[in-house]
Amino acid sequence: MLPESSLKFLKEFMTASSPSGFEEEAAAVFRNYLSGFCAEVKTDVLGNTMGILNPGAPLRVMLAGHYDEIGFQIVYISDEGLLYFRPNGGIDKLNVPATEVEILTANGRVPGVIGKKPIHLLKPAERDTAPDLSDMWIDIGATNREEAEKLVSVGDPVAVRSNFRMLNENRFVSKGMDDKVGAFVVAETMRELSKRKLNVAVYGVGTVQEEVGLRGAHTSCFGVDPQVGFAIDVGFATDIPDIPKKLLGDIKLGAGPELSRSCDNNVVLGRLIRKVAGEHKIAYQETASHRASGGTDTAQMQMTRAGVATALVSIPNRYMHSQVEMCDLRDVEGAVQLLTESIAALKGDESFIPGID
């Protein structure tokens, strides 16, 4: 079970807003937490934050979980004081109308709501079609442009209103699960590893701008230059109606983290972590991933410099890219245990070249 201090960090981290490219809030929370047990903590020019354990060891292992989230950005303020916006990351426009948001300004958060034309005034054909983002706006209660410009500016990032709630004993919801839950697993794994005698150097990285092109993983991995890399992200839970198991597999909340077998995953490293899972009786779920390559920080890490032995560990997630993404603490705890034991088992002289014993 996660200690109370970890659960406190989880809530604080989840409620720190961090739209892609504007991750300062989450970075500060992550950095502060890691500073309690890492030998060194630093944030780079893009905003990636890394904690380091046993930095002198020749074999370097990197953990990556991105703490940016999807959001919006203000592009225009109308004469009526309404704010028009563009997407920042993969927005599902079906989820957008009536969303409560917060504009992240230089002077703090400004609350608002996303509005659109009422259903009563829509033409029959319009009622069955999701409105375009350009037909929606953010209302912050201003009466005109001048009043709005005293509170917000063009270019300000916009996040969905912060939320975190436990549902029943193990499941929790938040708008920023993708992928602050993965970065949380990175931090907790670093905390656990700080208690162990390590044969390898470990770099726990919270990456930025994943939702707009896996950008933070590219630069941070180049800087760390690891031989081994684990990416921790969310994966699709298929235990809800109308999700095709024949395409995505049978993945349940609470049944353990997902281990992927795809082009982004080194087969030797994959065998090692599955062996560790068996030895320590750690439950996990197998997935072939929803495509052969790409979509997570794993892909960028694997292709950095001369190549990195990578593995993707995913936390099953319901309602991805919505305001109420749902995960299960048992999957989070399983991922932390599996990563901790796998890294602690490394002697530092392993080869991860496929097909060579």
Side-chain angles (χ1 to χ4, degrees):
M1 292 292 292
L2 293 168
E4 192 63 34
S5 58
S6 297
L7 294 174
K8 180 181 177 182
F9 165 58
L10 176 63
K11 181 177 182 179
E12 184 182 5
F13 195 39
M14 288 293 173
T15 54
S17 289
S18 52
S20 298
F22 303 91
E23 299 94 349
E24 294 97 329
E25 282 189 15
V29 176
F30 192 75
R31 186 167 53 242
N32 182 63
Y33 189 70
L34 289 181
S35 66
F37 43 79
C38 286
E40 181 182 359
V41 179
K42 56 186 179 181
T43 300
D44 68 18
V45 70
L46 258 71
N48 303 297
T49 297
M50 66 182 66
I52 307 169
L53 296 172
N54 197 31
L59 186 78
R60 292 175 300 281
V61 177
M62 176 173 161
L63 298 162
H66 72 90
Y67 50 49
D68 65 306
E69 62 189 75
I70 59 171
F72 310 98
Q73 194 169 9
I74 303 301
V75 298
Y76 173 69
I77 303 173
S78 74
D79 291 340
E80 298 87 357
L82 302 174
L83 317 180
Y84 289 84
F85 56 89
R86 66 160 175 78
N88 200 6
I91 297 296
D92 181 351
K93 61 184 181 180
L94 288 170
N95 291 328
V96 174
T99 298
E100 293 188 74
V101 297
E102 295 169 329
I103 299 92
L104 309 181
T105 78
N107 297 314
R109 300 188 186 191
V110 173
V113 295
I114 294 182
K116 69 173 186 65
K117 188 189 298 184
I119 188 171
H120 314 72
L121 306 181
L122 295 176
K123 297 175 182 177
E126 293 177 320
R127 297 182 183 183
D128 297 325
T129 305
D132 291 331
L133 295 183
S134 59
D135 293 326
M136 293 181 267
W137 54 84
I138 297 171
D139 193 331
I140 59 173
T143 57
N144 53 49
R145 183 201 299 265
E146 291 73 23
E147 189 174 328
E149 288 178 338
K150 292 178 181 178
L151 298 171
V152 303
S153 301
V154 169
D156 281 343
V158 181
V160 173
R161 181 183 178 184
S162 292
N163 63 335
F164 177 86
R165 177 177 292 181
M166 294 297 303
L167 295 182
N168 212 335
E169 184 177 355
N170 291 298
R171 293 176 181 178
F172 57 108
V173 295
S174 173
K175 53 95 177 188
M177 206 73 74
D178 181 8
D179 176 44
K180 285 198 281 286
V181 72
F184 174 81
V185 169
V186 170
E188 287 300 292
T189 302
M190 296 297 286
R191 182 181 62 81
E192 289 293 334
L193 287 172
S194 70
K195 307 173 187 176
R196 305 289 188 97
K197 179 176 174 56
L198 300 173
N199 299 312
V200 298
V202 187
Y203 293 74
V205 186
T207 62
V208 298
Q209 299 188 38
E210 191 270 359
E211 297 291 355
V212 292
L214 315 176
R215 295 158 62 86
H218 180 77
T219 59
S220 60
C221 192
F222 189 95
V224 173
D225 190 18
Q227 291 89 350
V228 177
F230 294 93
I232 303 89
D233 211 319
V234 289
F236 296 106
T238 63
D239 56 353
I240 55 177
D242 301 322
I243 304 295
K245 291 182 173 62
K246 65 182 180 180
L247 298 179
L248 297 171
D250 190 4
I251 303 296
K252 300 179 176 67
L253 258 63
E258 302 172 55
L259 296 184
S260 296
R261 295 179 66 194
S262 68
C263 294
D264 296 339
N265 292 263
N266 177 273
V267 294
V268 181
L269 182 58
R271 286 195 290 266
L272 183 151
I273 58 180
R274 286 167 175 82
K275 179 182 177 183
V276 168
E279 291 173 346
H280 292 270
K281 296 180 171 55
I282 303 169
Y284 68 91
Q285 304 179 79
E286 289 282 9
T287 178
S289 299
H290 74 287
R291 54 182 168 179
S293 177
T296 72
D297 282 345
T298 325
Q300 282 289 358
M301 295 169 69
Q302 182 190 48
M303 299 299 290
T304 298
R305 293 183 184 253
V308 178
T310 49
L312 173 63
V313 178
S314 303
I315 307 301
N317 182 10
R318 290 179 181 174
Y319 322 124
M320 199 179 298
H321 281 208
S322 79
Q323 301 90 327
V324 288
E325 296 181 309
M326 181 186 295
C327 291
D328 193 299
L329 285 175
R330 292 168 291 189
D331 301 327
V332 172
E333 292 164 349
V336 172
Q337 184 184 8
L338 180 57
L339 288 163
T340 299
E341 298 299 343
S342 296
I343 294 169
L346 293 173
K347 295 181 175 62
D349 59 356
E350 288 86 354
S351 169
F352 295 95
I353 300 175
I356 298 180
D357 296 328

Short mmCIF file of all heavy atoms in Angstrom, two decimals, residues 103-135:
data_model
loop_
_atom_site.label_atom_id
_atom_site.label_comp_id
_atom_site.label_asym_id
_atom_site.label_seq_id
_atom_site.Cartn_x
_atom_site.Cartn_y
_atom_site.Cartn_z
N ILE A 103 -7.72 29.64 -16.74
CA ILE A 103 -6.68 30.26 -17.56
C ILE A 103 -5.49 30.53 -16.64
O ILE A 103 -5.63 31.14 -15.57
CB ILE A 103 -7.17 31.57 -18.21
CG1 ILE A 103 -8.37 31.27 -19.15
CG2 ILE A 103 -6.06 32.22 -19.01
CD1 ILE A 103 -9.71 31.39 -18.51
N LEU A 104 -4.32 30.06 -17.05
CA LEU A 104 -3.11 30.19 -16.23
C LEU A 104 -2.39 31.47 -16.63
O LEU A 104 -1.69 31.52 -17.65
CB LEU A 104 -2.21 28.97 -16.41
CG LEU A 104 -2.89 27.60 -16.24
CD1 LEU A 104 -1.89 26.47 -16.41
CD2 LEU A 104 -3.59 27.50 -14.89
N THR A 105 -2.57 32.52 -15.86
CA THR A 105 -2.02 33.83 -16.19
C THR A 105 -0.82 34.14 -15.32
O THR A 105 -0.51 33.43 -14.35
CB THR A 105 -3.08 34.93 -15.99
OG1 THR A 105 -3.21 35.22 -14.59
CG2 THR A 105 -4.44 34.51 -16.54
N ALA A 106 -0.16 35.24 -15.63
CA ALA A 106 1.00 35.67 -14.84
C ALA A 106 0.60 36.02 -13.42
O ALA A 106 1.44 36.01 -12.51
CB ALA A 106 1.66 36.88 -15.51
N ASN A 107 -0.67 36.31 -13.20
CA ASN A 107 -1.15 36.70 -11.86
C ASN A 107 -1.99 35.62 -11.20
O ASN A 107 -2.68 35.89 -10.21
CB ASN A 107 -1.97 37.99 -11.97
CG ASN A 107 -1.13 39.16 -12.46
OD1 ASN A 107 -0.01 39.37 -11.99
ND2 ASN A 107 -1.64 39.91 -13.43
N GLY A 108 -1.94 34.40 -11.73
CA GLY A 108 -2.69 33.31 -11.11
C GLY A 108 -3.77 32.77 -12.03
O GLY A 108 -3.91 33.17 -13.18
N ARG A 109 -4.56 31.87 -11.49
CA ARG A 109 -5.61 31.20 -12.27
C ARG A 109 -6.86 32.06 -12.36
O ARG A 109 -7.30 32.63 -11.36
CB ARG A 109 -5.97 29.86 -11.64
CG ARG A 109 -4.82 28.86 -11.53
CD ARG A 109 -5.33 27.50 -11.08
NE ARG A 109 -4.24 26.56 -10.82
CZ ARG A 109 -4.42 25.26 -10.62
NH1 ARG A 109 -5.63 24.75 -10.65
NH2 ARG A 109 -3.38 24.48 -10.39
N VAL A 110 -7.42 32.13 -13.56
CA VAL A 110 -8.68 32.83 -13.78
C VAL A 110 -9.72 31.78 -14.19
O VAL A 110 -9.54 31.11 -15.22
CB VAL A 110 -8.55 33.91 -14.87
CG1 VAL A 110 -9.92 34.51 -15.19
CG2 VAL A 110 -7.58 34.99 -14.41
N PRO A 111 -10.80 31.61 -13.44
CA PRO A 111 -11.79 30.58 -13.78
C PRO A 111 -12.67 31.00 -14.95
O PRO A 111 -12.91 32.19 -15.18
CB PRO A 111 -12.61 30.47 -12.49
CG PRO A 111 -12.50 31.81 -11.85
CD PRO A 111 -11.12 32.31 -12.18
N GLY A 112 -13.15 30.01 -15.68
CA GLY A 112 -14.06 30.27 -16.79
C GLY A 112 -14.83 29.01 -17.14
O GLY A 112 -14.58 27.93 -16.60
N VAL A 113 -15.77 29.15 -18.05
CA VAL A 113 -16.53 28.01 -18.56
C VAL A 113 -16.55 28.08 -20.08
O VAL A 113 -16.52 29.16 -20.67
CB VAL A 113 -17.98 28.00 -18.02
CG1 VAL A 113 -17.99 27.80 -16.51
CG2 VAL A 113 -18.72 29.28 -18.39
N ILE A 114 -16.58 26.91 -20.71
CA ILE A 114 -16.65 26.86 -22.18
C ILE A 114 -18.11 26.83 -22.60
O ILE A 114 -18.88 25.95 -22.19
CB ILE A 114 -15.87 25.65 -22.72
CG1 ILE A 114 -14.38 25.83 -22.41
CG2 ILE A 114 -16.11 25.49 -24.22
CD1 ILE A 114 -13.50 24.72 -22.93
N GLY A 115 -18.49 27.83 -23.41
CA GLY A 115 -19.87 27.95 -23.85
C GLY A 115 -20.03 27.69 -25.33
O GLY A 115 -19.06 27.70 -26.10
N LYS A 116 -21.27 27.45 -25.72
CA LYS A 116 -21.65 27.29 -27.11
C LYS A 116 -23.13 27.69 -27.25
O LYS A 116 -23.80 27.98 -26.26
CB LYS A 116 -21.45 25.85 -27.58
CG LYS A 116 -22.41 24.84 -26.97
CD LYS A 116 -22.25 23.48 -27.60
CE LYS A 116 -23.30 22.49 -27.11
NZ LYS A 116 -24.68 22.87 -27.50
N LYS A 117 -23.63 27.66 -28.46
CA LYS A 117 -25.03 27.98 -28.71
C LYS A 117 -25.94 26.95 -28.00
O LYS A 117 -25.67 25.74 -28.07
CB LYS A 117 -25.30 27.95 -30.21
CG LYS A 117 -26.68 28.46 -30.62
CD LYS A 117 -26.94 28.20 -32.10
CE LYS A 117 -25.96 28.95 -32.99
NZ LYS A 117 -26.30 28.75 -34.44
N PRO A 118 -27.01 27.39 -27.31
CA PRO A 118 -27.90 26.45 -26.63
C PRO A 118 -28.57 25.49 -27.61
O PRO A 118 -28.80 25.83 -28.78
CB PRO A 118 -28.94 27.35 -25.97
CG PRO A 118 -28.30 28.69 -25.89
CD PRO A 118 -27.39 28.79 -27.06
N ILE A 119 -28.91 24.30 -27.14
CA ILE A 119 -29.53 23.28 -27.99
C ILE A 119 -30.83 23.77 -28.62
O ILE A 119 -31.16 23.41 -29.75
CB ILE A 119 -29.76 21.97 -27.19
CG1 ILE A 119 -30.20 20.85 -28.16
CG2 ILE A 119 -30.75 22.18 -26.05
CD1 ILE A 119 -30.25 19.49 -27.51
N HIS A 120 -31.56 24.63 -27.91
CA HIS A 120 -32.84 25.12 -28.42
C HIS A 120 -32.68 25.92 -29.72
O HIS A 120 -33.61 26.01 -30.52
CB HIS A 120 -33.50 26.04 -27.38
CG HIS A 120 -33.49 25.49 -26.00
ND1 HIS A 120 -32.34 25.43 -25.24
CD2 HIS A 120 -34.48 24.98 -25.22
CE1 HIS A 120 -32.62 24.93 -24.06
NE2 HIS A 120 -33.91 24.64 -24.02
N LEU A 121 -31.51 26.52 -29.92
CA LEU A 121 -31.28 27.38 -31.07
C LEU A 121 -30.51 26.69 -32.19
O LEU A 121 -30.19 27.32 -33.20
CB LEU A 121 -30.51 28.64 -30.63
CG LEU A 121 -31.16 29.43 -29.47
CD1 LEU A 121 -30.31 30.65 -29.15
CD2 LEU A 121 -32.59 29.83 -29.83
N LEU A 122 -30.21 25.42 -32.00
CA LEU A 122 -29.50 24.67 -33.03
C LEU A 122 -30.47 24.17 -34.09
O LEU A 122 -31.60 23.78 -33.78
CB LEU A 122 -28.77 23.48 -32.42
CG LEU A 122 -27.63 23.77 -31.44
CD1 LEU A 122 -27.10 22.47 -30.85
CD2 LEU A 122 -26.51 24.55 -32.10
N LYS A 123 -30.02 24.13 -35.33
CA LYS A 123 -30.79 23.50 -36.38
C LYS A 123 -30.80 21.99 -36.14
O LYS A 123 -29.87 21.44 -35.53
CB LYS A 123 -30.18 23.82 -37.74
CG LYS A 123 -30.20 25.31 -38.08
CD LYS A 123 -29.47 25.58 -39.39
CE LYS A 123 -29.45 27.08 -39.69
NZ LYS A 123 -28.70 27.39 -40.93
N PRO A 124 -31.84 21.28 -36.59
CA PRO A 124 -31.91 19.83 -36.34
C PRO A 124 -30.64 19.08 -36.71
O PRO A 124 -30.18 18.21 -35.96
CB PRO A 124 -33.11 19.40 -37.21
CG PRO A 124 -33.98 20.60 -37.24
CD PRO A 124 -33.05 21.78 -37.28
N ALA A 125 -30.03 19.40 -37.85
CA ALA A 125 -28.82 18.70 -38.28
C ALA A 125 -27.64 18.99 -37.33
O ALA A 125 -26.75 18.14 -37.15
CB ALA A 125 -28.45 19.09 -39.70
N GLU A 126 -27.63 20.17 -36.73
CA GLU A 126 -26.53 20.55 -35.84
C GLU A 126 -26.57 19.79 -34.52
O GLU A 126 -25.54 19.63 -33.87
CB GLU A 126 -26.58 22.06 -35.56
CG GLU A 126 -26.28 22.93 -36.76
CD GLU A 126 -26.42 24.41 -36.45
OE1 GLU A 126 -27.37 24.78 -35.71
OE2 GLU A 126 -25.57 25.19 -36.93
N ARG A 127 -27.76 19.33 -34.12
CA ARG A 127 -27.89 18.68 -32.82
C ARG A 127 -27.20 17.32 -32.77
O ARG A 127 -26.90 16.83 -31.68
CB ARG A 127 -29.38 18.51 -32.48
CG ARG A 127 -30.11 19.84 -32.33
CD ARG A 127 -31.56 19.65 -31.95
NE ARG A 127 -32.25 20.94 -31.89
CZ ARG A 127 -33.52 21.11 -31.52
NH1 ARG A 127 -34.24 20.04 -31.19
NH2 ARG A 127 -34.06 22.31 -31.51
N ASP A 128 -26.97 16.73 -33.91
CA ASP A 128 -26.34 15.42 -33.96
C ASP A 128 -24.86 15.49 -34.32
O ASP A 128 -24.23 14.46 -34.59
CB ASP A 128 -27.06 14.53 -34.98
CG ASP A 128 -28.50 14.26 -34.58
OD1 ASP A 128 -28.77 14.15 -33.38
OD2 ASP A 128 -29.36 14.18 -35.49
N THR A 129 -24.30 16.68 -34.32
CA THR A 129 -22.90 16.87 -34.70
C THR A 129 -22.16 17.64 -33.63
O THR A 129 -22.67 18.65 -33.12
CB THR A 129 -22.80 17.64 -36.04
OG1 THR A 129 -23.56 16.95 -37.03
CG2 THR A 129 -21.35 17.77 -36.48
N ALA A 130 -20.98 17.17 -33.26
CA ALA A 130 -20.17 17.90 -32.29
C ALA A 130 -19.76 19.24 -32.87
O ALA A 130 -19.32 19.32 -34.01
CB ALA A 130 -18.94 17.10 -31.92
N PRO A 131 -19.90 20.33 -32.10
CA PRO A 131 -19.48 21.64 -32.62
C PRO A 131 -17.98 21.73 -32.77
O PRO A 131 -17.22 21.08 -32.04
CB PRO A 131 -19.99 22.61 -31.55
CG PRO A 131 -20.04 21.80 -30.30
CD PRO A 131 -20.42 20.41 -30.73
N ASP A 132 -17.53 22.50 -33.74
CA ASP A 132 -16.11 22.76 -33.88
C ASP A 132 -15.63 23.63 -32.73
O ASP A 132 -16.39 24.43 -32.17
CB ASP A 132 -15.82 23.46 -35.21
CG ASP A 132 -16.06 22.55 -36.41
OD1 ASP A 132 -15.89 21.32 -36.24
OD2 ASP A 132 -16.40 23.06 -37.48
N LEU A 133 -14.36 23.52 -32.41
CA LEU A 133 -13.80 24.35 -31.34
C LEU A 133 -13.95 25.83 -31.66
O LEU A 133 -14.12 26.66 -30.76
CB LEU A 133 -12.33 24.01 -31.12
CG LEU A 133 -12.02 22.60 -30.59
CD1 LEU A 133 -10.52 22.45 -30.35
CD2 LEU A 133 -12.80 22.28 -29.34
N SER A 134 -13.92 26.17 -32.95
CA SER A 134 -14.04 27.57 -33.35
C SER A 134 -15.44 28.13 -33.09
O SER A 134 -15.64 29.35 -33.13
CB SER A 134 -13.69 27.74 -34.83
OG SER A 134 -14.53 26.94 -35.64
N ASP A 135 -16.41 27.24 -32.84
CA ASP A 135 -17.77 27.66 -32.53
C ASP A 135 -18.05 27.67 -31.03
O ASP A 135 -19.20 27.77 -30.60
CB ASP A 135 -18.78 26.74 -33.23
CG ASP A 135 -18.72 26.89 -34.74
OD1 ASP A 135 -18.46 28.02 -35.21
OD2 ASP A 135 -18.92 25.88 -35.45
#
